[in-house]
């Protein structure tokens, strides 16, 4: 039995302005009141401009929801127009920052070097990076999904000490399963999540490999989450579309009741 606490993180992507974000987090707080959260952690990753409002609502309502950002700058501070630093996020009580999401890689040209720099910047600021990795459809069809994903993982974690690596959350998000409704089978998710853990084992030893949470992401819903979570190496989910509905996301958090 794993001692890792599952993490259900809702990536809102570029949805919901601050008023809508406020409504959703309040609704989510209510919906979670009916869920057994003794062994599961729930987080939301709103757009940057929603963070302050959402944080205030979480604090005021003492909601059992951790906060995270969808990205973080690789730089500490200064003349980087449009960027948001790790320190700005920790000042908002953020715990997490997603790094290297496939949409950042695809639409913003973020490569291994920038992803690696962002992982390090997040750790420096005291944030837990959620390092996203996963293969496009062509690589899956060619049977190269493990190789491709592990290369992204190696790149993202390059130069980290064992102590730093132990703090990272990894999210395996096959690109072909994101927003498509085409969820990976539990076996597909397990295969790659297991290989991710084994690479951590080779690089940093058992303690790190057994501590790091490896999430699955891609069309996760309340209807499919339990089967995916039943797999040994899957420690949670990074949820896009289904995290925009309070009841549905609360059901995902309560996957054990399904
Ligand atoms: P969907 O759950 O909408 O497929 O998105 C997954 C994702 O990209 C989460 O980061």
């Amino acid at each position: 039995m794993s001692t890792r606490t599952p993490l259900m993180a809702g990536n809102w992507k570029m949805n919901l302005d601050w008023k809508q974000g406020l409504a959703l987090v309040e609704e989510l707080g209510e919906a979670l009141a009916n869920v057994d959260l003794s062994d599961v952690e729930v987080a939301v990753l709103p757009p940057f401009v929603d963070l302050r409002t959402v944080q205030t609502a979480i604090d005021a309502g003492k909601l059992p929801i951790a906060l995270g950002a969808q990205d973080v700058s690789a730089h500490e501070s200064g003349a980087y127009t449009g960027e948001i630093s790790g320190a700005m996020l920790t000042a908002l009580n953020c715990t997490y920052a997603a790094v290297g999401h496939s949409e950042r890689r695809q639409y913003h040209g973020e490569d291994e070097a920038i992803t690696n720099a962002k992982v390090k910047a997040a750790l420096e600021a005291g944030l837990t990076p959620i390092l996203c990795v996963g293969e496009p459809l062509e690589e899956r069809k060619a049977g190269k999904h493990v190789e491709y994903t592990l290369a992204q993982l190696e790149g993202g974690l390059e130069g980290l000490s064992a102590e730093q690596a132990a703090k990272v959350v990894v999210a395996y998000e096959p690109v072909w399963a994101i927003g498509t409704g085409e969820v990976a089978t539990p076996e597909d998710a397990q295969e790659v999540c297991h290989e991710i853990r084994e690479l951590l084992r080779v690089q940093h030893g058992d303690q790190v490999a057994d501590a790091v949470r490896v999430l699955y992401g891609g069309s996760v819903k309340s209807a499919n989450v339990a089967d995916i979570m039943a797999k040994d190496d899957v420690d949670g989910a990074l949820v896009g579309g289904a995290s925009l509905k309070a009841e549905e996301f609360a059901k995902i958090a309560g996957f054990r009741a399904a």
Side-chain angles (χ1 to χ4, degrees):
M1 253 318 258
S2 147
T3 54
R4 298 178 292 271
T5 302
L7 170 63
M8 296 300 174
N11 175 9
W12 294 1
K13 307 195 178 184
M14 196 173 74
N15 295 294
L16 312 181
D17 64 26
W18 69 268
K19 287 182 192 166
Q20 296 165 323
L22 175 60
L24 177 58
V25 78
E26 285 179 340
E27 250 186 90
L28 181 61
E30 280 174 32
L32 287 173
N34 306 315
V35 175
D36 177 6
L37 297 176
S38 51
D39 189 30
V40 60
E41 190 187 343
V42 179
V44 293
L45 279 52
F48 286 126
V49 293
D50 296 8
L51 285 174
R52 176 63 173 150
T53 315
V54 172
Q55 178 226 341
T56 307
I58 289 172
D59 287 355
K62 295 192 171 43
L63 306 181
I65 303 170
L67 192 59
Q70 297 172 19
D71 187 24
V72 61
S73 177
H75 305 286
E76 220 177 286
S77 68
Y80 299 101
T81 301
E83 295 273 278
I84 303 290
S85 74
M88 292 172 181
L89 297 174
T90 45
L92 284 167
N93 288 350
C94 283
T95 304
Y96 298 101
V99 172
H101 192 280
S102 64
E103 289 149 17
R104 301 294 316 170
R105 296 176 192 262
Q106 187 179 349
Y107 304 125
H108 302 272
E110 296 193 5
D111 58 10
E112 301 316 337
I114 185 76
T115 300
N116 181 237
K118 288 182 173 193
V119 167
K120 288 175 176 162
L123 288 167
E124 284 291 318
L127 295 164
T128 297
I130 302 177
L131 171 62
C132 304
V133 294
E135 81 286 352
L137 186 59
E138 310 84 76
E139 306 295 332
R140 163 72 49 177
K141 281 190 177 154
K144 300 225 165 95
H145 48 288
V146 171
E147 195 182 315
Y148 184 97
T149 302
L150 293 188
Q152 284 185 332
L153 182 72
E154 274 196 89
L157 297 182
E158 199 174 310
L160 261 58
S161 65
E163 197 191 336
Q164 287 175 313
K167 292 182 182 151
V168 173
V169 171
V170 180
Y172 169 55
E173 298 206 305
V175 177
W176 48 270
I178 295 178
T180 57
E182 186 161 344
V183 66
T185 65
E187 291 69 30
D188 289 338
Q190 166 62 19
E191 179 195 22
V192 184
C193 291
H194 177 74
E195 294 293 342
I196 288 170
R197 196 176 309 288
E198 291 314 298
L199 179 68
L200 290 164
R201 198 177 303 285
V202 169
Q203 290 194 332
H204 294 294
D206 288 343
Q207 222 176 331
V208 172
D210 294 336
V212 167
R213 288 181 291 182
V214 183
L215 316 184
Y216 166 78
S219 298
V220 171
K221 303 184 199 57
S222 61
N224 57 32
V225 66
D227 289 345
I228 295 169
M229 288 303 295
K231 295 295 179 185
D232 283 352
D233 287 295
V234 181
D235 305 315
L238 187 54
V239 184
S243 74
L244 299 173
K245 293 171 234 151
E247 282 296 334
E248 174 66 4
F249 190 48
K251 271 195 209 163
I252 290 172
F255 66 95
R256 286 194 186 86

